[in-house]
Amino acid sequence: GPFTRPPTVSPYPTLAPTITAAPTLTPEPTITPEPTIAPTVTPEPTIDFTLAPTKASTNRPTRAPSVQPISTPTRNPTRFPTRSPTLRPTFPVPPTPITEDETERRRGISSLVIELSGLGPFLEPNSPQNLAYNWLLENDERKLSASDVPDIIQRYALASLYFATNGDKWTTCGRGGSISSCESLEQRFLSGASECVWFGAGCDDDGHIDTLNLRENGLVGTLVPEMAELSRLETFVLSRNSLSSTIPTEIGRLKQLHFLLLNRNSFTGKIPTELGDLNRLWYLHLGNNVLTGSLPGAVFVPTLQHVDFGDNRLIGSLPVDMTLISKDLINIDVSKNRFTGSIPVGLGSLTDLSSFTGNENNFSGQLSGSVFNDRMTIFDVSQNKLSGLIPNGLFNSGKSLTLLNLAANEFGGTISRRIGELVNLEQLAFWFNDFVGTIPNTLGSLTNLEVLHFGETELFGNMPSEICNLRTDQNGVLTTLSADCGGSPPVVACDCCTQCFEPN
């Protein structure tokens, strides 16, 4: 018949860019992706400080023989010797012997590094830890000893990160001035200044590092477990780089963390359950990586407010801990994964929840009206396998919504006239579903609407004039309006639509 649902169209048009909650630390500009293959780090020579210097040679020069006068004197006068001094042979300058104090300093640092990193990384030539160790011994201008805590531990941890992420090619404040810019020499990593003034770092009044923000700074390589030695760290931001290791389980030891932002890298492997030990965490952003496995419920600590797991390869259902434990959640992004199961009913019990984005997954079943609350402004579950009717709970509790995206699912039935009660809506998408009946004219009361999609459904009839009056040429703000208004005759008669679909 004329209203038979056409074949599914793929890929689906998108309503709007995915909205991901971000902390207010710094703005998120567009970036050019960095390569994920770490260039080879130029090794520093391994120094064996147990070798004694070689003594210089003590050979003396031989005397030149005296010139004897010839038997028959010549008529020419004898030449006087020149005033230039006789050249003497040069001797190599012996290296400065290593003192007992220096030997003891080196032994102490060796023991400290082995204690922090283990014997394996310490002995492995050109490992980040080995390079950091040699830098402490030979090149660090401060010449610290193992007893100089926390400074030596902090400098070792930061130097390990530097060498593990190709620090000489960082965008800002690497130690090489020809490649990376920096406001001052002191701010450059591995400078002789306090690590508290190195770029991106900050310390508390006791000299412990509490902030490290190297966002979008060209880091390429791995995240080293030695970062767990920065025990006072509260803000840890490495987003928008090209880190490609697993997330070290040792990060769970950073018990003071409030912000952990590792999004927009290429981290692999599973999300460590040890992150559940971060019982002061507010922001957990792991989105836009290559993480696999299920989402562990353990990471949902009571203090969490913003979580981003979007654009990974996570599977399974959403853990109940998300709504039972993390009651203060404000933003949840689980979009663009491979999650299954239903949308958690408990979302509605999160009284501060403002945004839920779960688009592009495999969620199925009916949508419960209990998922909405009075503060929710963004609800995007497009491109899933959800079915059934639009729940009445949406109209009871969704009055703060500005974006409602139900596109590309299997929703059916008629669109309730109560949709006109969602007066704050700015973007609304029903397209690519099985809705039937006519388009309710109560949508004309949504004077804030900018985007409205009905295409590729079973809706028919005329586009209500009340909706056409929302168009920008009628002094409204509606810029985009789609429906099945293609073909002759059209399924939906619409003279004010900006996009028309034709039945297949």
Side-chain angles (χ1 to χ4, degrees):
F3 307 124
T4 302
R5 176 176 175 79
T8 302
V9 178
S10 181
Y12 301 111
T14 56
L15 169 65
T18 302
I19 299 174
T20 303
T24 56
L25 297 175
T26 51
E28 293 276 336
T30 304
I31 76 160
T32 303
E34 296 287 339
T36 56
I37 300 176
T40 304
V41 178
T42 304
E44 293 187 355
T46 303
I47 301 172
D48 186 352
F49 57 82
T50 61
L51 295 178
T54 306
K55 290 186 177 180
S57 170
T58 57
N59 293 334
R60 297 177 178 272
T62 58
R63 289 192 176 188
S66 302
V67 178
Q68 300 293 330
I70 58 176
S71 57
T72 306
T74 63
R75 296 181 179 181
N76 295 327
T78 303
R79 290 183 178 181
F80 290 98
T82 61
R83 295 183 179 181
S84 302
T86 304
L87 296 178
R88 296 185 179 184
T90 58
F91 298 94
V93 178
T96 303
I98 296 178
T99 65
E100 290 184 9
D101 289 344
E102 177 63 11
T103 300
E104 187 63 29
R105 184 183 81 91
R106 292 175 176 234
R107 285 175 179 165
I109 293 176
S110 299
S111 298
L112 177 65
V113 169
I114 292 172
E115 179 185 347
L116 297 178
S117 300
L119 189 59
F122 170 73
L123 294 177
E124 182 182 348
N126 304 323
S127 70
Q129 295 81 2
N130 180 274
L131 294 173
Y133 161 71
N134 278 309
W135 172 77
L136 282 174
L137 291 185
E138 303 296 334
N139 303 115
D140 187 2
E141 296 176 15
R142 295 188 63 185
K143 295 296 180 184
L144 298 176
S145 299
S147 59
D148 294 320
V149 293
D151 299 35
I152 191 167
I153 294 177
Q154 295 180 159
R155 292 173 86 82
Y156 171 67
L158 292 177
S160 296
L161 178 67
Y162 183 87
F163 289 116
T165 58
N166 204 14
D168 287 347
K169 293 187 178 181
W170 283 2
T171 305
T172 304
C173 290
R175 62 177 175 178
S178 61
I179 296 177
S180 63
S181 61
C182 199
E183 290 185 1
S184 68
L185 292 176
E186 290 77 14
Q187 283 186 295
R188 289 194 178 278
F189 255 63
L190 310 189
S191 75
S194 166
E195 65 277 10
C196 294
V197 302
W198 289 356
F199 175 75
C203 289
D204 60 20
D205 293 339
D206 297 326
H208 292 86
I209 290 180
D210 60 5
T211 299
L212 185 61
N213 185 350
L214 295 174
R215 175 185 177 275
E216 200 170 356
N217 199 40
L219 278 67
V220 178
T222 62
L223 178 55
V224 290
E226 285 73 18
M227 300 313 297
E229 302 304 328
L230 304 179
S231 58
R232 299 279 187 91
L233 204 58
E234 296 180 1
T235 299
F236 190 21
V237 182
L238 296 179
S239 53
R240 292 182 178 270
N241 284 292
S242 297
L243 301 173
S244 54
S245 64
T246 57
I247 299 174
T249 58
E250 290 83 356
I251 297 298
R253 290 164 43 198
L254 296 172
K255 299 297 180 63
Q256 305 299 317
L257 267 187
H258 292 312
F259 300 89
L260 179 58
L261 278 65
L262 304 179
N263 52 304
R264 295 185 180 274
N265 281 282
S266 298
F267 286 112
T268 59
K270 296 184 177 182
I271 298 174
T273 58
E274 287 81 1
L275 297 185
D277 294 331
L278 305 177
N279 53 17
R280 296 188 179 186
L281 201 61
W282 297 335
Y283 281 74
L284 178 58
H285 282 198
L286 304 179
N288 297 87
N289 282 292
V290 199
L291 299 171
T292 55
S294 59
L295 178 56
V299 304
F300 289 96
V301 295
T303 55
L304 269 183
Q305 296 179 6
H306 305 266
V307 294
D308 173 15
F309 303 106
D311 205 355
N312 280 288
R313 300 176 183 176
L314 301 174
I315 61 173
S317 58
L318 297 181
V320 295
D321 307 71
M322 184 171 69
T323 56
L324 291 179
I325 306 298
S326 300
K327 291 290 190 179
D328 294 333
L329 281 171
I330 297 173
N331 295 295
I332 299 173
D333 185 352
V334 292
S335 63
K336 299 181 180 180
N337 279 284
R338 301 168 185 176
F339 288 121
T340 54
S342 59
I343 304 295
V345 175
L347 290 178
S349 66
L350 304 177
T351 54
D352 293 324
L353 187 63
S354 174
S355 171
F356 178 82
T357 50
N359 52 294
E360 296 184 50
N361 279 287
N362 293 310
F363 292 123
S364 59
Q366 296 190 4
L367 183 63
S368 169
S370 299
V371 303
F372 302 99
N373 67 34
D374 293 333
R375 293 192 179 183
M376 190 176 293
T377 58
I378 295 169
F379 187 76
D380 186 350
V381 291
S382 59
Q383 299 188 44
N384 280 287
K385 300 176 181 178
L386 299 169
S387 58
L389 305 176
I390 297 177
N392 283 327
L394 166 65
F395 312 118
N396 297 330
S397 302
K399 290 184 171 59
S400 296
L401 285 171
T402 59
L403 182 149
L404 176 61
N405 192 353
L406 305 180
N409 279 285
E410 299 168 11
F411 288 113
T414 59
I415 299 175
S416 171
R417 293 179 55 81
R418 294 190 64 190
I419 193 70
E421 298 176 17
L422 307 183
V423 294
N424 290 303
L425 277 177
E426 298 172 2
Q427 301 183 63
L428 175 60
F430 289 130
W431 57 0
F432 294 91
N433 275 292
D434 296 325
F435 294 117
V436 297
T438 59
I439 298 172
N441 62 1
T442 54
L443 285 164
S445 62
L446 306 184
T447 56
N448 295 312
L449 265 185
E450 299 173 4
V451 177
L452 180 58
H453 288 300
F454 293 110
E456 294 290 344
T457 64
E458 305 293 339
L459 297 168
F460 61 89
N462 296 320
M463 181 65 66
S465 60
E466 292 86 350
I467 294 177
C468 288
N469 289 339
L470 298 176
R471 292 279 285 111
T472 51
D473 57 3
Q474 299 296 323
N475 298 320
V477 295
L478 185 61
T479 59
T480 304
L481 176 61
S482 74
D484 294 330
C485 47
S488 181
V491 178
V492 176
C494 182
D495 295 331
C496 60
C497 286
T498 60
Q499 183 179 11
C500 287
F501 291 86
E502 293 188 12
N504 294 326

